[in-house]
């Protein structure tokens, strides 16, 4: 689950990371109020107005702007709120901005000693260890740095047995070119950032830029955070961080039914029991010349009701031209699933796309017989090759 910059910063602060302070606002008037409050709290007299969307690259896209007085705060907030912000991470349609973060300006004007670094904590799935990735060349062009000067991207891997070590935090500070008091500040920053990543069970914490001011303060100016969905049950208070306006509407609905659904761009919808079989099925669709429209694992308790809910979800996607149901009957009995399909057909009504059902395992023959007998526009198969051939016929 992704969260907004202002939410990520609040988490960082609670773990002791110094941040660019800010207050979130949903109208230009509230933005002005926020700016005044921030002036009271921090003494700032300039502000930065930042679009809150779940995507990076906002600065380049015109979603981050400096305001030097309260009139400008209002004017810029008015301009950014409601805009359809397009960045290299949003896709061509962009994302509608519903909130802005009014932040204190932390770049002292005319300062040459202000430095922007990049720092991210994430899981290296190859080694099964967390890594801190960092670069002295942070800022809005970090993708360019990774491409043109990859030697300026450093990695520090954390051994889970001993956790982040002091020498590692110091090494990071030195590689970033820090000296004097800034080293100690950076060590504190790295420790607090890593504690935030671990303490929230996140899969990514990306801070770009990390800023060093001329008076050696190190602070997080941005925060891009992905919380691990599978750990959310351990953090009940994170529920309120979810912003459904940022998510795919079909995925939001699938979650309501507790269905494990991920929307993809293809044309063949699939309904499968078990995540491994679902992945194999998606491969099979590809090899048959189709493209999966989704990943959907109906789980081990695929009863008639869940089958119907799954059909409804798959059919919401207008790109779906065919549906492949691939069920391996173990505890789940194929005849029950078949009955579920027949019922879903009757209850939903007007299903226009062809459905291919492959049932294998417990009571597969009975299941196939039920479907063949139903007179519905459903092709059934028991062997996977037959199902693949049917997919090819339908989408080819
Ligand atoms: P992103 O473009 O979505 O990554 O958004 P960021 O939060 O990283 O902001 C983009 C850029 O805006 C940063 O790299 C900074 O250069 C600039 N910026 C952010 N905060 C301030 C600020 O307080 N003052 C000034 N002058 N620039 C800022
Ligand atoms: Mn950024």
């Amino acid at each position: 689950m992704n969260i907004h910059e202002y939410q990520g910063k609040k988490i960082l602060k609670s773990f002791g990371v110094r941040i660019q302070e800010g207050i979130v606002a949903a109208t230009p008037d509230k933005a002005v109020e926020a700016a005044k409050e921030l002036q009271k709290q921090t003494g700032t007299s300039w502000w930065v107005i930042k679009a809150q969307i779940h995507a990076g690259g906002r600065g380049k896209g015109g979603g981050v702007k400096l305001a030097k007085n309260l009139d400008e705060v209002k004017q810029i907030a008015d301009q950014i709120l409601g805009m359809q912000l397009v960045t290299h991470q949003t896709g061509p349609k962009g994302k509608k901005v519903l909130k802005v973060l009014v932040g204190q300006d932390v770049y002292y004007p005319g300062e040459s000693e202000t430095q922007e670094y990049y720092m991210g904590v994430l899981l290296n799935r190859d080694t099964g260890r967390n890594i801190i990735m960092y670069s002295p060349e942070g800022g809005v062009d970090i993708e360019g740095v990774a491409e043109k000067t990859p030697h300026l991207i450093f990695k520090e891997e954390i051994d889970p047995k001993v956790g982040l070590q002091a020498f590692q935090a110091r090494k990071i500070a030195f590689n970033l070119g820090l000296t004097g008091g800034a080293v100690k500040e950076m060590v504190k920053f790295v420790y607090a950032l890593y504690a935030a990543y671990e303490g929230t069970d996140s899969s990514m914490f990306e801070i770009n830029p990390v800023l060093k001011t001329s008076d050696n303060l190190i602070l997080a100016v941005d925060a891009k955070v992905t919380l691990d969905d599978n750990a959310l049950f351990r953090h009940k208070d994170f529920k309120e961080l979810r912003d459904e306006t940022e998510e795919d509407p079909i995925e939001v609905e699938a979650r309501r039914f507790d269905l494990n659904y991920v929307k993809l761009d293809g044309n063949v919808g699939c309904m499968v029991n078990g995540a491994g079989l679902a992945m194999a099925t998606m491969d099979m669709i590809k090899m048959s010349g189709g493209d999966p429209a989704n990943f959907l694992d109906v789980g081990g308790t695929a009863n008639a009701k869940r089958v119907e809910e799954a059909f409804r979800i798959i059919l919401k996607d207008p790109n779906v031209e065919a549906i492949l149901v691939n069920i391996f009957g173990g505890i789940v009995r194929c005849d029950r699933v078949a009955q579920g399909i027949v019922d879903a057909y009757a209850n939903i009504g007007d299903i226009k796309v062809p459905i291919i059902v492959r049932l294998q395992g417990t009571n597969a023959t009975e299941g196939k017989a039920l479907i063949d007998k139903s007179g519905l526009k459903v092709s059934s198969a028991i062997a996977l090759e037959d199902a693949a051939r049917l997919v090819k016929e339908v989408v080819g």
Side-chain angles (χ1 to χ4, degrees), residues 58 208-209 222:
R58 296 162 303 163
N208 184 33
D222 193 4

Side-chain angles (χ1 to χ4, degrees), residues 154 302 354 380:
F154 297 90
S380 65

Side-chain angles (χ1 to χ4, degrees), residues 65-128:
K65 293 212 162 111
L66 191 65
K68 298 184 180 173
N69 56 55
L70 292 173
D71 283 341
E72 282 183 13
V73 169
K74 188 162 178 172
Q75 204 185 318
I76 293 170
D78 189 40
Q79 183 199 338
I80 293 179
L81 283 165
M83 85 187 276
Q84 199 70 25
L85 181 56
V86 180
T87 82
H88 66 275
Q89 289 185 6
T90 58
K93 273 196 294 195
K95 282 192 163 172
K96 190 170 180 136
V97 183
L98 300 174
K99 282 182 187 145
V100 289
L101 179 62
V102 180
Q104 58 172 161
D105 173 32
V106 283
Y107 288 61
Y108 311 151
E111 268 291 352
S112 56
E113 285 171 56
T114 305
Q115 289 286 342
E116 288 185 325
Y117 311 118
Y118 170 92
M119 194 172 299
V121 189
L122 61 157
L123 176 65
N124 179 350
R125 292 181 190 274
D126 289 337
T127 60

